[in-house]
Every structure is written in structure tokens, then in C-alpha cells.
């Protein structure tokens, strides 16, 4: 589906000076696959998202979707790309227009992409999607301010999925939520992935979050992927010191479980 082919990106930081933000990044995402991209703040995660969405052009390398170069595509191809690749933002309080009702927010993509010509048809599809994310028809006329953070993120997910995309890019979608609500949103994304055969690129700084959703994980440090592997490889047998430091920072609710995990890692080393 999406191929990020050895992209690099740098920014000017003064006269004749440039700072490398991305260094030879390569990722592939297939239909129904979930990939976690993990790294601390400033590691380049957001720049990868901007390049992947065609909002920023890399200095070298390219981004392809379905074989089409995202940064060199024509208008028709870009419209199709915009419909098939959707983004869920980090902050559910800032990503929803407070002046729009839930029906307007979720149905906007149907209008933009002309996917359903009638108002009744659009409303029906909006209601179906709201029910899929655990909300209902009673939410249609309400405004974002009347919902909790977790409910707002469900609305954001419904807005992204109502046009039936093939790929969902999630930019730290649970970092602003309480832990219990995080679990609800992650479970919802898992259900949506199975039901719609979605490809998901899940960007986060917390390894504990991606563990429950992603089958493959790539670890990003200072603009470079330092380790990638299956969920089992990364969590049970991390190879890079940076990956091990991220794992060591994950809170362990049960000390006995934490001690057993540390012993297992020491044996693997």
C-alpha cells in the first residue's frame, strides 16, 4: 500500500547550516498490517507523517502509494490518495471544529469526496459509523464540547473511517487521554482494523501502547530507524541500546512481572 523509500530530510538552521531530521527512512505498510513507529519527542516522527501524506517533500527518496509517487502525482491521483489515506490527530480537543455538529464533522469527508449525493444517504452512513465506534444517532446534533476526550477521539476516528480509507495514519492518538481511555481507543482501532482490513501506521512515543496494536515495530532515534522487528522481537529480545532504554522506561504495574521481564532480557543478552 504505502512505501516510504529511503527518504531523508534536513532543515536550515542558520547560514550555510542544516540539521538532518530524517536519515534514510524506509518503511512498507501492507493491507491489514499495523506498524508502530516509536521514538521520543524530536526524533522525526511528525516529519515522517508529513512526508508520507505529501505535505512535505523529502530531500532524497520518495513515497509511493499503490505504485504512484505521492510527490509527483497528478490531481486525480492525489484526490484518490487523499480519500484512501486518512489521519487521526493527537489532540481530540484541538482536532475537531467546535462550531460544527458531530453530523457535520463526520459527514464532511463524504461531501468533499462526493461519495454520497443525498443528505439522507450521508446521514445514514454517518450514523452507521458512529455506531461502529460506540456512539449513536443521539450524538448527531451535539457539539464536541459536550463529549469527553475519549468520546471526541472516537468521533475523530469515525470522521477518518466514514469514507472507507485503505490506510489510517495515527499520530499519537491516545497520548492526551487517560490510561483507561487509551485502552478503549486501542481496542476500537483493533476492531476497526479487523472489520475494514485497514492498514495502520501508528506513531507513538510509548512502547506499551503500540505493543497491543502493532504486529511490527520500528524504533526511531534522532531521525534514523535503529531497530525494527516483530512485536516479540522488540519486546522479548531488543538489540539496540536505545530500544532497551525505551523499554526500561515503560511503567510496570506489577513489580514481580517487571523483575521477570528484566531477567528474561538479561538472559537474551
Amino acid at each position: 500500500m504505502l512505501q516510504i523509500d529511503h527518504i531523508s530530510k534536513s532543515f536550515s538552521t542558520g547560514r550555510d547550516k542544516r540539521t538532518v531530521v530524517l536519515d534514510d527512512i524506509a518503511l512498507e505498510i501492507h493491507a491489514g498490517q499495523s506498524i508502530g513507529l516509536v521514538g521520543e519527542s524530536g526524533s522525526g516522527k511528525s516529519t515522517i507523517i508529513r512526508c508520507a501524506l505529501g505535505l512535505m517533500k523529502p530531500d532524497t527518496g520518495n513515497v509511493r502509494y499503490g505504485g504512484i509517487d505521492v510527490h509527483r502525482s497528478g490531481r486525480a491521483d492525489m484526490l484518490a490518495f487523499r480519500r484512501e489515506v486518512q489521519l487521526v490527530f493527537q489532540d481530540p480537543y484541538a482536532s475537531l471544529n467546535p462550531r460544527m455538529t458531530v453530523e457535520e464533522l463526520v459527514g464532511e469527508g463524504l461531501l468533499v469526496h462526493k461519495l454520497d449525493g443525498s443528505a439522507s444517504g450521508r446521514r445514514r452512513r454517518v450514523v452507521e459509523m458512529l455506531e461502529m465506534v460506540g456512539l449513536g444517532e443521539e450524538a448527531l446534533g451535539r457539539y464536541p464540547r459536550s463529549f469527553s476526550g475519549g468520546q471526541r477521539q472516537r468521533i475523530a476516528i469515525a470522521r477518518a473511517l466514514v469514507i472507507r480509507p485503505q490506510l489510517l495514519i495515527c499520530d499519537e492518538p491516545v497520548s492526551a487521554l487517560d490510561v483507561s481511555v487509551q485502552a478503549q481507543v486501542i481496542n476500537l482501532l483493533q476492531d476497526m482494523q479487523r472489520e475494514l482490513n485497514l492498514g495502520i501506521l501508528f506513531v507513538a512515543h510509548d512502547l506499551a501502547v503500540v505493543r497491543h496494536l502493532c504486529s511490527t515495530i520500528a524504533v526511531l532515534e534522532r531521525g534514523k530507524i535503529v531497530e525494527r522487528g516483530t512485536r516479540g522481537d522488540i519486546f522479548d529480545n531488543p538489540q539496540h541500546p536505545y530500544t532497551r532504554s525505551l523499554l526500561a522506561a515503560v511503567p510496570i504495574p506489577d513489580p514481580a512481572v517487571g523483575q521477570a521481564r528484566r531477567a528474561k532480557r538479561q538472559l537474551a543478552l
Side-chain angles (χ1 to χ4, degrees):
M1 292 177 64
L2 185 73
Q3 182 180 11
I4 299 173
D5 188 13
H6 298 282
I7 65 171
S8 297
K9 183 68 180 177
S10 62
F11 294 104
S12 175
T13 54
R15 187 176 179 180
D16 300 325
K17 292 182 179 180
R18 299 189 70 84
T19 297
V20 176
V21 179
L22 300 180
D23 183 8
D24 195 34
I25 300 295
L27 284 172
E28 287 186 357
I29 306 171
H30 301 276
Q33 183 185 25
S34 56
I35 290 185
L37 182 62
V38 181
E40 62 188 345
S41 298
S43 60
K45 303 188 299 297
S46 295
T47 305
I48 290 176
I49 290 177
R50 293 190 183 102
C51 291
L53 291 172
L55 302 175
M56 181 182 290
K57 189 174 181 179
D59 298 335
T60 60
N62 53 63
V63 178
R64 296 183 180 275
Y65 179 79
I68 297 170
D69 192 323
V70 171
H71 295 95
R72 295 180 178 85
S73 60
R75 185 172 183 274
D77 287 334
M78 184 53 69
L79 282 174
F81 173 76
R82 294 286 182 226
R83 179 174 59 82
E84 295 185 14
V85 180
Q86 289 290 302
L87 174 66
V88 176
F89 295 92
Q90 176 179 2
D91 188 354
Y93 294 92
S95 63
L96 300 179
N97 189 333
R99 297 180 181 273
M100 297 175 70
T101 65
V102 170
E103 181 175 6
E104 292 169 335
L105 286 164
V106 177
E108 187 176 24
L110 298 173
L111 277 172
V112 170
H113 294 284
K114 300 179 174 62
L115 296 180
D116 202 311
S118 67
S120 60
R122 287 193 299 272
R123 170 172 277 220
R124 184 170 56 252
R125 287 185 63 169
V126 169
V127 170
E128 289 173 356
M129 185 52 62
L130 287 174
E131 290 175 346
M132 286 183 70
V133 301
L135 299 172
E137 188 173 358
E138 65 278 3
L140 289 175
R142 296 165 63 188
Y143 292 87
R145 62 177 176 269
S146 63
F147 295 92
S148 67
Q151 289 172 323
R152 293 186 197 198
Q153 202 62 300
R154 289 172 181 268
I155 294 168
I157 292 170
R159 177 179 60 178
L161 297 183
V162 72
I163 60 175
R164 294 293 193 270
Q166 303 298 308
L167 174 64
L168 191 65
I169 298 179
C170 300
D171 183 11
E172 306 218 30
V174 298
S175 63
L177 305 176
D178 294 338
V179 174
S180 60
V181 182
Q182 287 183 8
Q184 295 173 14
V185 174
I186 294 299
N187 290 337
L188 172 62
L189 287 171
Q190 286 179 317
D191 293 340
M192 295 296 99
Q193 182 184 26
R194 286 191 294 266
E195 196 155 338
L196 304 175
N197 196 35
L198 275 174
I200 295 179
L201 175 60
F202 192 94
V203 179
H205 64 271
D206 188 348
L207 273 168
V209 171
V210 300
R211 179 175 195 169
H212 297 285
L213 178 67
C214 302
S215 56
T216 302
I217 298 171
V219 181
L220 188 69
E221 182 189 20
R222 297 180 182 178
K224 193 174 184 65
I225 293 178
V226 295
E227 186 168 0
R228 77 180 75 202
T230 65
R231 178 168 45 205
D233 291 337
I234 296 297
F235 280 90
D236 296 334
N237 189 24
Q239 299 298 307
H240 196 274
Y242 181 68
T243 307
R244 292 197 289 268
S245 69
L246 288 178
L247 286 169
V250 175
I252 302 295
D254 187 339
V257 173
Q259 186 176 4
R261 287 181 183 173
R262 287 191 292 272
K264 187 175 183 180
R265 289 180 194 140
Q266 288 298 322
L267 288 174
L269 295 174

